[in-house]
Amino acid sequence: MKATATANSNIALVKYWGKRDERLILPQNSSISMTLDGLYTTTTAEFSEKHRKDEVTIDGKKVAGEELDRVVRQLNLVRRLAKTHLSAKVTSKNNFPKAAGLASSASGFAALTLAATKALGLHIEKKELSMLARQGSGSACRSIYGGFAEWVKGSHHDGSDSYAKQLAPKEHWPELAMIVSVVTAEEKKVKSRAGMSQTVANSPMYRAWLETVEEDLKNVREAIMERKFTQLGTAAELNALKMHATMHTTTPHIIYWQPETITMMKEVMQMHEEGIECYFTIDGGPQVKIVCMDKNAGKIAKRVKGMAEVEKVYVCHAGEGARLSNKELF
Ligand code: PMV
């Protein structure tokens, strides 16, 4: 009745932005991501009579309120499948700051879903696991897979055709790197969830997002399959800017960028101009992630580390999918 799982975070190259169903977490558009080797969450879940209610600890802190509710909701999904009412103790540890736009909800919900299903003795296929993880946090469905994954949006009302699948394993493109820098490790004020629904509701740019996202998906999918770096970086950068344009133009506006974010974007453009080919992508937070080839990663990381704005730098490559672990957290 106890299991531990580790899942890596993933960064979208074509972003998931906007839901068509808030409860089931069904997206308006498909998305494509790279699972990162350097950022991960490990979670131990134990179901037992001795636990009188669900108790959740993340990075040494007991969680309460909305954060606890989200985990309990996910545990309820798994309990329903396993036909049990047992309460759980869940302990989770991230090797990076959570809720700062480094996709901790992706690795967190992927690890939780795998640990909880295993603890309750459920044997489910990756596709089903991905659909379950999706209901915790949309982007989590992609972290079930290593390498490169596409979350296919689907069209069914019950969500039965909205899941992630692997486009290519991590061995497919080991020369590709993603540099993740932390400019301010504060927790963000507007969660992706709230930002997303507001954007769908009233950004005049949201229509343009939906009208052009298929083109981005096609370009990024092909770039991954054929290992075309320039095509990948160009399409990913444009896609991130379009997503932020929808946020900048929603009312009230949502601007996740900090002055440091812009400084970093400019630095990426400067390096690119100097002949070090690299591109940026940004999620629901101030962090800038740089897509580059491994041969330039050391040089870029050194430049970025030298910037006053930057607190921490992780050089990542495509990583593994969610997996069981024997390193119990309690
Ligand atoms: O899964 P959520 O609800 O944390 O949303 C993630 C949204 C983005 O990170 C901005 C984009 C993405 O596809 O990961």
Side-chain angles (χ1 to χ4, degrees):
M1 293 287 220
K2 184 175 182 183
T4 301
T6 296
N8 293 28
S9 85
N10 71 76
I11 297 298
L13 297 160
V14 177
K15 311 293 184 189
Y16 141 57
W17 197 247
K19 294 180 181 60
R20 63 187 158 85
D21 185 309
E22 297 271 342
R23 189 180 59 86
L24 291 171
I25 310 199
L26 300 176
Q28 294 272 1
N29 63 279
S30 297
S31 54
I32 296 178
S33 62
M34 173 172 166
T35 300
L36 303 184
D37 60 353
L39 308 177
Y40 53 85
T41 305
T42 298
T43 300
T44 299
E46 180 187 56
F47 293 85
S48 164
E49 305 265 2
K50 69 182 185 218
H51 304 309
R52 296 196 23 243
K53 57 180 175 33
D54 292 330
E55 189 191 293
V56 181
T57 305
I58 303 179
D59 292 333
K61 269 196 219 131
K62 271 221 175 100
V63 302
E66 199 194 317
E67 205 174 358
L68 175 65
D69 293 347
R70 269 183 90 179
V71 175
V72 170
R73 225 177 300 135
Q74 191 68 2
L75 292 170
N76 286 342
L77 284 181
V78 181
R79 276 190 282 251
R80 204 171 310 140
L81 279 180
K83 301 187 172 56
T84 178
H85 291 288
L86 288 174
S87 291
K89 176 176 173 180
V90 173
T91 300
S92 191
K93 230 170 124 50
N94 294 298
N95 78 329
F96 60 98
K98 80 179 161 85
L102 297 184
S104 62
S105 67
S107 52
F109 278 97
L112 172 69
T113 307
L114 179 56
T117 49
K118 183 68 188 174
L120 286 176
L122 294 167
H123 296 285
I124 52 177
E125 296 292 318
K126 281 194 170 168
K127 178 176 149 184
E128 259 67 40
L129 199 59
S130 155
M131 285 198 276
L132 267 181
R134 186 202 77 218
Q135 295 171 69
S137 181
S139 55
C141 75
R142 300 184 309 236
S143 272
I144 298 300
Y145 298 91
F148 301 87
E150 175 162 355
W151 173 10
V152 184
K153 66 178 173 169
S155 60
H156 298 168
H157 291 302
D158 63 358
S160 58
D161 59 349
S162 185
Y163 50 84
K165 56 180 191 186
Q166 189 174 57
L167 287 178
K170 66 184 171 72
E171 295 78 17
H172 172 73
W173 205 356
E175 300 83 9
L176 187 71
M178 174 119 35
I179 297 174
V180 178
S181 58
V182 178
V183 294
T184 137
E186 265 172 48
E187 292 209 18
K188 58 191 179 190
K189 290 191 189 71
V190 186
K191 299 259 181 211
S192 314
R193 189 164 283 217
M196 228 180 248
S197 56
Q198 190 192 302
T199 307
V200 176
N202 72 23
S203 168
M205 303 298 172
Y206 194 72
R207 255 178 69 184
W209 164 261
L210 287 183
E211 277 166 13
T212 58
V213 73
E214 285 303 325
E215 179 78 13
D216 297 347
L217 286 161
K218 182 175 153 286
N219 285 333
V220 166
R221 205 182 291 122
E222 183 187 280
I224 290 171
M225 298 324 289
E226 298 175 20
R227 291 186 282 259
K228 289 181 178 161
F229 175 60
T230 301
Q231 180 173 325
L232 180 84
T234 309
E237 197 173 88
L238 172 64
N239 181 265
L241 287 171
K242 284 196 286 192
M243 177 182 76
H244 284 273
T246 70
M247 294 188 235
H248 296 171
T249 49
T250 180
T251 309
H253 53 229
I254 298 168
I255 302 179
Y256 283 118
W257 302 350
Q258 298 289 345
E260 295 83 356
T261 312
I262 309 209
T263 308
M264 285 280 303
M265 288 158 79
K266 293 274 180 196
E267 182 69 4
V268 171
M269 288 153 74
Q270 174 64 29
M271 287 191 279
H272 201 144
E273 225 162 81
E274 289 171 21
I276 309 169
E277 190 177 359
C278 54
Y279 302 87
F280 59 78
T281 184
I282 307 166
D283 292 280
Q287 317 307 345
V288 175
K289 293 100 184 180
I290 305 173
V291 188
C292 65
M293 293 307 284
D294 187 53
K295 62 173 195 253
N296 288 326
K299 217 179 316 178
I300 297 173
K302 201 167 159 215
R303 271 274 279 262
V304 169
K305 267 184 205 155
M307 296 173 68
E309 297 81 4
V310 173
E311 289 179 12
K312 209 168 165 42
V313 175
Y314 302 84
V315 177
C316 303
H317 297 86
E320 279 178 80
R323 62 235 174 244
L324 293 166
S325 157
N326 51 19
K327 293 190 193 119
E328 291 185 346
L329 295 180
F330 62 90

